[in-house]
Amino acid sequence: MMYTRSKPAEREPDASARPPLVRELLLITGLFLVYKLGRQAANGHVEEAYRNAGHVWSFERVLGLPGEGAVQGVLLHSHTLVQAANTYYATVHFPATVAFLVWLYWRRPRHYVWSRRILAALTGAALALHLLFPLAPPRMLHAAGLVDTGQVYGPSVYGETPSTDSMANQFAAMPSLHFGWALAVAVGLIVATRSRWRLLWLLHPLLTLFVIVGTANHYWLDVIVVSALLAVAFAALRLPHTPVRTQLPWPTAVPAQSYASPAYARSGARR
């Protein structure tokens, strides 16, 4: 009996699952504006932010977590490396997330809707924590003894002091959306693709972790908290099931000639 190998069905974008583009642009823009306004509303709690920073630093030492300075020490061995870390912190966060959503929208619409919901839920939870728990980053905490690498080596995305920074809330360290978004992007790409190398997307959050801690913009606890929030979002917002395929992706047995076929019966009768 002869067998033929059928090719896996080519994965095509499901256009019916793609939401209207204009609606998505308005929705994402609106969510971004709400988030920025919310962060600005959380600004100004200077004494509370520094007090919370002291509590976080002490709690990390109680837990036995390594000091953030161990990571920064690696960066400070090279002027080029520390500038590269600052550049990564300043330029990769938003563009990488936007590129991720754009690619999903056109190539994996069903995954796009799921990932957009995950990111929106994570960002909303983070905004609530920014309002409830203002936190000065470790670069501002004297007890940490860390260098503000952005100000010293550049480039920096923040003003020299929180009071003169009208573009960002520097007391919104908890949780770290830099890491949360990077991890959500990596998981989203792993789920949406089938490459044998797709686990390499995890390098993005790992590199982000190294950068945000090494530049003294976040504590370990900022990363732990945002990871817990993301886990809750993944558990609550599950990816819809893929429709059942009519063509099996594995090899199927196709007999060259069935023994029960009329042709076979006639050939046997002539023998």
Side-chain angles (χ1 to χ4, degrees):
M1 182 177 294
M2 297 176 60
Y3 296 89
T4 60
R5 183 180 296 271
S6 60
K7 295 182 180 179
E10 188 99 14
R11 174 182 281 193
E12 294 292 339
D14 184 6
S16 64
R18 185 181 295 123
L21 178 60
V22 174
R23 190 192 74 181
E24 288 302 303
L25 290 175
L26 292 175
L27 176 61
I28 293 176
T29 302
L31 290 173
F32 178 74
L33 291 176
V34 169
Y35 171 69
K36 293 296 289 184
L37 291 175
R39 281 176 61 103
Q40 288 296 318
N43 211 345
H45 303 278
V46 179
E47 293 183 4
E48 186 179 0
Y50 279 102
R51 184 169 60 251
N52 289 336
H55 294 330
V56 167
W57 182 261
S58 299
F59 186 55
E60 284 188 344
R61 308 292 77 80
V62 171
L63 293 178
L65 295 175
E68 286 80 355
V71 180
Q72 186 172 88
V74 176
L75 285 181
L76 295 181
H77 280 302
S78 168
H79 188 278
T80 302
L81 184 59
V82 71
Q83 281 195 326
N86 289 333
T87 302
Y88 189 94
Y89 181 85
T91 61
V92 174
H93 177 49
F94 279 106
T97 307
V98 171
F100 163 71
L101 289 174
V102 169
W103 184 83
L104 284 184
Y105 181 85
W106 289 111
R107 298 300 303 167
R108 303 289 188 271
R110 188 171 58 90
H111 290 81
Y112 162 79
V113 174
W114 175 65
S115 293
R116 188 248 291 149
R117 290 172 179 169
I118 292 291
L119 287 171
L122 177 65
T123 305
L127 178 58
L129 266 178
H130 294 162
L131 293 167
L132 296 173
F133 193 78
L135 179 66
R139 58 187 167 80
M140 294 183 182
L141 186 64
H142 293 298
L146 298 175
V147 177
D148 187 341
T149 60
Q151 293 296 336
V152 175
Y153 298 95
S156 176
V157 296
Y158 302 115
E160 293 186 5
T161 61
S163 59
T164 61
D165 193 346
S166 59
M167 298 299 295
N169 178 9
Q170 297 193 45
F171 296 141
M174 174 76 77
S176 170
L177 280 179
H178 266 76
F179 181 79
W181 284 12
L183 185 57
V185 167
V187 172
L189 287 171
I190 291 172
V191 172
T193 58
R194 290 293 177 267
S195 169
R196 68 177 64 183
W197 305 104
R198 63 186 182 276
L199 290 180
L200 291 178
W201 288 115
L202 291 173
L203 292 176
H204 177 41
L206 289 175
L207 182 57
T208 300
L209 174 62
F210 176 73
V211 166
I212 63 176
V213 174
T215 57
N217 281 292
H218 286 284
Y219 304 89
W220 297 115
L221 278 181
D222 299 338
V223 174
I224 294 172
V225 169
V226 82
S227 299
L229 292 175
L230 188 57
V232 172
F234 281 134
L237 303 171
R238 295 184 179 274
L239 180 68
H241 293 295
T242 306
V244 178
R245 294 182 180 182
T246 57
Q247 183 178 4
L248 298 178
W250 52 79
T252 55
V254 181
Q257 186 176 24
S258 173
Y259 291 106
S261 65
Y264 179 83
R266 287 195 298 271
S267 64
R270 290 195 296 268
R271 292 178 181 176

